[in-house]
């Protein structure tokens, strides 16, 4: 079953709390939903895993930026 952008949006509305990823206050856009759907379909993973990977990736990038500022 192909995951659509609408599936990703519904998943975010129903299940995702950005605070769980330390991303409270971040805005997830339509582009983000599209990337998640595309990645899930390409990798053949379920939506939950695709969302987790994507959001933890954002957190990692933000953390790296904070480390650079501290130096």
């Amino acid at each position: 079953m192909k995951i659509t952008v609408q599936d990703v949006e519904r998943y975010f509305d129903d299940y995702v709390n950005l605070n769980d990823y330390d991303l409270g206050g971040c805005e997830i856009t339509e582009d983000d939903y599209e990337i998640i759907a595309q990645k899930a379909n390409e990798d053949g993973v379920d939506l939950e895993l695709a969302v987790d990977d994507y959001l933890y990736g954002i957190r990692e990038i933000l953390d790296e930026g904070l480390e650079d500022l501290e130096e």
Side-chain angles (χ1 to χ4, degrees):
M1 181 173 112
K2 184 175 179 176
I3 294 172
T4 66
V5 172
Q6 291 77 20
D7 293 332
V8 178
E9 284 185 79
R10 276 192 298 275
Y11 184 81
F12 267 81
D13 289 342
D14 294 342
Y15 301 108
V16 175
N17 179 347
L18 292 176
N19 290 322
D20 293 343
Y21 300 86
D22 238 1
L23 295 173
C26 289
E27 181 181 353
I28 304 300
T29 66
E30 187 79 17
D31 289 340
D32 295 309
Y33 297 146
E34 289 175 14
I35 292 167
I36 293 168
Q38 179 182 10
K39 188 83 171 137
N41 290 319
E42 286 176 359
D43 293 350
V45 298
D46 67 14
L47 186 51
E48 181 178 3
L49 181 58
V51 169
D52 277 351
D53 286 348
Y54 190 78
L55 293 178
Y56 284 127
I58 291 173
R59 181 72 259 161
E60 187 176 311
I61 290 168
L62 292 175
D63 287 345
E64 287 174 7
L66 289 174
E67 288 172 7
D68 290 344
L69 289 175
E70 291 173 356
E71 293 178 355

